[in-house]
């Protein structure tokens, strides 16, 4: 996966976030480029309806044999709830824009990094942050 691909998919996650005028959008992509996307719907669906949780609910549409081949892109670093859901979903790669520390400037956050949770998982998960970070931070303003 090169940096252009990462930026392309984070841009798609940004478009998802803008659909519901929240800072939070997420995309899951399979190796062929098939993808599903979602945004944060907490105002309608309750406090657990983060973008990553919502997109994981759509994951079965991708029909992959091994979810470790999937990459989840998120405008903001997955919170501990979402990162745990990503582990339970078996997703192999996570790429995000703004960090939990960035997001904490605009609201409450649990200060546990996605990498900390990834290290506790029973399979390897690659986590990379800071892709289109400034564009993602701008979604908060
Ligand atoms: Zn979350």
């Amino acid at each position: 996966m090169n940096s252009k691909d990462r930026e392309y998919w984070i841009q798609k996650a940004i478009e998802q976030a803008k659909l519901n005028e929240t800072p939070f959008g997420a995309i899951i992509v399979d190796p062929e480029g098939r993808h599903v996307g979602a945004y944060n719907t907490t105002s309608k669906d309750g406090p657990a309806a983060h973008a990553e949780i919502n997109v994981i609910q759509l994951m079965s549409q991708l029909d992959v044999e091994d979810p470790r081949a999937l990459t989840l892109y998120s405008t903001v670093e997955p919170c501990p709830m979402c990162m745990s859901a990503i582990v339970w979903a078996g997703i192999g790669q996570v790429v995000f824009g703004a960090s939990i520390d960035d997001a904490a400037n605009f609201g409450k956050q649990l200060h546990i990094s996605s990498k900390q949770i990834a290290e506790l998982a029973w399979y390897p998960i690659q986590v990379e942050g800071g892709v289109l970070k400034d564009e993602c931070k701008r979604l908060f303003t």
Side-chain angles (χ1 to χ4, degrees):
M1 186 181 17
N2 66 40
S3 65
K4 273 232 166 67
D5 285 343
R6 289 193 289 269
E7 290 183 6
Y8 174 84
W9 291 113
I10 288 289
Q11 190 59 49
K12 290 278 180 203
I14 290 170
E15 287 167 19
Q16 282 291 323
K18 287 180 174 171
L19 287 176
N20 203 33
E21 296 178 357
T22 80
F24 310 104
I27 303 272
I28 296 176
V29 186
D30 77 9
E32 279 77 51
R34 286 180 297 236
H35 58 280
V36 287
Y39 42 73
N40 177 301
T41 57
T42 52
S43 59
K44 178 165 69 83
D45 298 323
H50 290 189
E52 299 95 324
I53 299 290
N54 289 344
V55 80
I56 285 169
Q57 306 290 357
L58 304 174
M59 197 176 119
S60 62
Q61 294 176 17
L62 294 174
D63 194 30
V64 290
E65 269 175 44
D66 185 356
R68 292 189 203 189
L70 298 172
T71 304
L72 185 146
Y73 294 86
S74 185
T75 54
V76 181
E77 180 175 6
C79 75
M81 172 182 75
C82 291
M83 193 61 201
S84 300
I86 288 165
V87 172
W88 284 113
I91 292 168
Q93 289 78 228
V94 175
V95 178
F96 62 85
S99 69
I100 286 173
D101 286 344
D102 295 326
N105 293 320
F106 303 95
K108 342 181 255 293
Q109 287 293 328
L110 285 161
H111 288 274
I112 300 173
S113 77
S114 54
K115 280 189 179 152
Q116 283 174 275
I117 291 173
E119 283 165 10
L120 297 170
W122 52 90
Y123 65 94
I125 308 177
Q126 286 179 34
V127 180
E128 182 190 344
V131 177
L132 298 183
K133 184 188 182 93
D134 291 338
E135 288 87 336
C136 290
K137 280 170 78 174
R138 225 173 283 138
L139 293 167
F140 286 95
T141 56

